[in-house]
Amino acid sequence: MNNKQIKVGIFMGSKSDLPIVNEAAKILDSFSIPNEINILSAHRSPHAVVKTLEKLEKQGAKLFIASAGMAAHLAGVIAAHTHKPVLGIPLGGGDLSGIDSLLSTVQMPKGIPVATFAIGKSGAINAALFAVQILSQNDEFLSKQFDEYRTAQTAEVIKINEEK
């Protein structure tokens, strides 16, 4: 059995979601936050989703990021099986260009929260940054890293305006 310490479990519904999900993983990696990506469908492999979720919790996962398109029930299925925070990333595509996945991720029944982010790449990046913020609440070093990230982000915007 793999005893690797994981802080963030990342789930995606399809292999085609990997380019978007990798954006979240890159952010987590840049803060040296151990994470693991799993390709599992809420509809095609629900038992494997729960089994993997349980495995990640045993490995120390503090929160989960879930991305899915179309019906997008992956974040909700995960939220129904854990008491840890679940961050949902709706994905674009399909006939409704991601509006369907946004609505099915954000419209959770009361008592089963899923923090939902923007559709696609921006949502993946913001979900990962939100995960960093959550984890930094009990980690002074990570909190300092996040502060430095935001300071650098601000400086970059100001520098662009000064170069005009």
Side-chain angles (χ1 to χ4, degrees), residues 16-155:
S16 63
D17 303 338
L18 191 57
I20 299 296
V21 172
N22 272 335
E23 296 297 326
K26 282 192 261 184
I27 293 289
L28 296 171
D29 290 344
S30 74
F31 285 94
S32 300
I33 296 173
N35 62 86
E36 178 179 301
I37 296 174
N38 293 278
I39 304 168
L40 295 165
S41 168
H43 300 103
R44 294 181 297 271
S45 57
H47 298 294
V49 169
V50 173
K51 185 175 180 181
T52 302
L53 177 66
E54 291 169 350
K55 176 195 76 146
L56 290 170
E57 285 186 331
K58 286 178 184 170
Q59 291 176 314
K62 303 293 183 202
L63 59 91
F64 300 96
I65 295 174
S67 67
M70 300 179 75
H73 294 293
L74 187 55
V77 167
I78 291 169
H81 288 91
T82 186
H83 295 169
K84 299 202 176 355
V86 177
L87 315 180
I89 308 167
L91 297 177
D95 293 336
L96 299 178
S97 302
I99 298 299
D100 49 350
S101 61
L102 173 63
L103 293 175
S104 60
T105 304
V106 78
Q107 286 296 111
M108 290 297 298
K110 67 181 176 186
I112 307 294
V114 170
T116 305
F117 295 85
I119 298 169
K121 182 178 176 180
S122 293
I125 291 168
N126 282 340
L129 290 171
F130 194 70
V132 173
Q133 287 179 297
I134 291 170
L135 295 170
S136 72
Q137 297 302 300
N138 296 311
D139 185 327
E140 191 173 318
F141 180 73
L142 188 56
S143 180
K144 186 175 186 233
Q145 277 186 298
F146 187 75
D147 288 345
E148 290 170 359
Y149 172 87
R150 292 291 295 267
T151 299
Q153 186 180 41
T154 300

